[in-house]
């Protein structure tokens, strides 16, 4: 199984508050993991990817950070949310020799 | 640089009508190509993929796609659309590298009229 668990499904947070979104994956060990953000009309924007524990690469400078404390855990965080952080956040893992990705069901974040 | 273009932002078709969603890619080597669908408020689901061999690939839910190297295209088709096919469709190309990244197009939103 390559299931991905993301929570929460929906989140409403005030501007300036912290954020922590968690993603855990099943399946083969040492997967590549990804955080994407999807804003209205802007497609999928790759935010971070990780090829192993403690290894994080950032694709876009921003108000967010990511961590990978365990092989199958990927966390997206912010110390102080901005209105522009609103969007739909998706976690994904690679499928190994299958080359594609498996996606989680996403978190809808609204910053108010 | 690698890129994926989906020229249609929004398409509306009647239920039972045929569908074709366009995808063009820019990639120097033989591409690995994918189509994903996203239902409203959900994650992305893999519809089909092309790695090599037969250029017409079959996927789930009655979808198919044809790889045309000469046109750098990988268009998605379905002969008869169902209301449940409404959603956003993403074309993607795998360009390898240690991080195994996919590049996604910006998506085409499909609406289905009853």
């Amino acid at each position: 199984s390559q299931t991905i668990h993301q929570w929460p499904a929906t989140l409403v947070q005030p501007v300036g508050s912290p954020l922590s979104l968690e993603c855990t994956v099943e399946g083969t060990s040492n997967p590549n993991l990804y955080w994407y953000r999807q804003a209205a009309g802007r497609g999928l924007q790759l935010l971070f990817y990780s090829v192993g524990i403690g290894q994080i690469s950032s694709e876009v400078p921003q108000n967010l950070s990511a961590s990978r404390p365990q092989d199958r855990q990927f966390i997206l965080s912010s110390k102080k949310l901005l209105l522009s952080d609103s969007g739909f956040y998706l976690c994904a893992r690679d499928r190994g020799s299958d080359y594609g990705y498996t996606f989680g069901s996403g978190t809808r974040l609204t910053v108010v | 640089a690698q890129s994926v273009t989906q020229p249609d932002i929004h398409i509306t078709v009647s239920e039972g009508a045929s569908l074709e969603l366009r995808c063009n890619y820019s990639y120097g080597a033989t591409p690995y190509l994918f189509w994903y669908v996203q239902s409203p408020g959900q994650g992305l689901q893999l519809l089909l993929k092309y790695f090599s061999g037969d250029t017409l690939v079959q996927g789930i839910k009655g979808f198919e796609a044809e790889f045309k190297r000469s046109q750098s295209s990988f268009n998605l088709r379905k002969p008869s659309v169902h209301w449940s096919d409404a959603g956003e469709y993403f074309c993607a190309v795998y360009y390898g590298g240690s991080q195994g990244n996919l590049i996604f197009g910006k998506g085409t939103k499909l609406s289905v009229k009853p």
Side-chain angles (χ1 to χ4, degrees):
Chain A
S1 170
Q2 304 260 0
T3 304
I4 296 181
H5 303 279
Q6 265 191 263
W7 66 91
T10 305
L11 190 60
V12 180
Q13 292 283 96
V15 168
S17 64
L19 173 73
S20 180
L21 300 182
E22 188 161 342
C23 169
T24 59
V25 306
E26 298 179 6
T28 54
S29 61
N30 199 32
N32 290 343
L33 299 176
Y34 307 86
W35 277 112
Y36 282 88
R37 178 169 58 201
Q38 190 176 18
R42 296 185 62 183
L44 292 164
Q45 181 185 32
L46 178 63
L47 301 176
F48 301 96
Y49 67 89
S50 171
V51 299
I53 296 174
Q55 300 179 65
I56 307 295
S57 296
S58 174
E59 291 292 302
V60 181
Q62 61 214 316
N63 184 41
L64 302 169
S65 62
S67 62
R68 187 169 175 177
Q70 301 180 40
D71 182 48
R72 299 168 193 268
Q73 186 183 30
F74 202 25
I75 298 171
L76 183 69
S77 304
S78 173
K79 292 182 179 178
K80 288 186 178 181
L81 283 169
L82 306 172
L83 287 174
S84 58
D85 293 323
S86 294
F88 191 57
Y89 289 82
L90 288 159
C91 178
R93 65 160 291 160
D94 72 317
R95 294 161 61 97
S97 60
D98 203 18
Y99 296 105
Y101 292 172
T102 296
F103 285 85
S105 55
T107 295
R108 170 72 60 192
L109 172 66
T110 304
V111 182
V112 296
Chain B
Q2 303 90 346
S3 66
V4 177
T5 302
Q6 294 180 245
D8 303 305
I9 296 174
H10 191 182
I11 286 181
T12 300
V13 300
S14 297
E15 191 168 16
S18 64
L19 171 71
E20 182 169 26
L21 301 182
R22 296 182 290 165
C23 172
N24 293 96
Y25 66 90
S26 172
Y27 185 58
T30 301
Y32 295 161
L33 296 159
F34 304 82
W35 273 102
Y36 288 84
V37 62
Q38 183 182 30
S39 299
Q42 299 296 314
L44 276 68
Q45 180 184 23
L46 180 66
L47 283 176
L48 47 78
K49 60 193 176 189
Y50 171 78
F51 289 174
S52 64
D54 192 345
T55 56
L56 184 64
V57 294
Q58 303 297 321
I60 62 172
K61 304 184 179 185
F63 285 92
E64 67 178 25
E66 185 171 14
F67 170 61
K68 292 186 178 180
R69 183 186 299 276
S70 62
Q71 299 177 20
S72 297
S73 69
F74 188 55
N75 294 347
L76 182 72
R77 300 194 294 249
K78 187 170 184 179
S80 178
V81 169
H82 188 263
W83 64 267
S84 61
D85 293 325
E88 191 151 19
Y89 290 76
F90 293 92
C91 181
V93 61
Y94 171 82
Y95 71 93
S98 60
Q99 65 272 26
N101 277 336
L102 292 181
I103 294 177
F104 288 88
K106 292 192 179 298
T108 297
K109 183 176 180 180
L110 173 66
S111 297
V112 181
K113 292 190 300 184

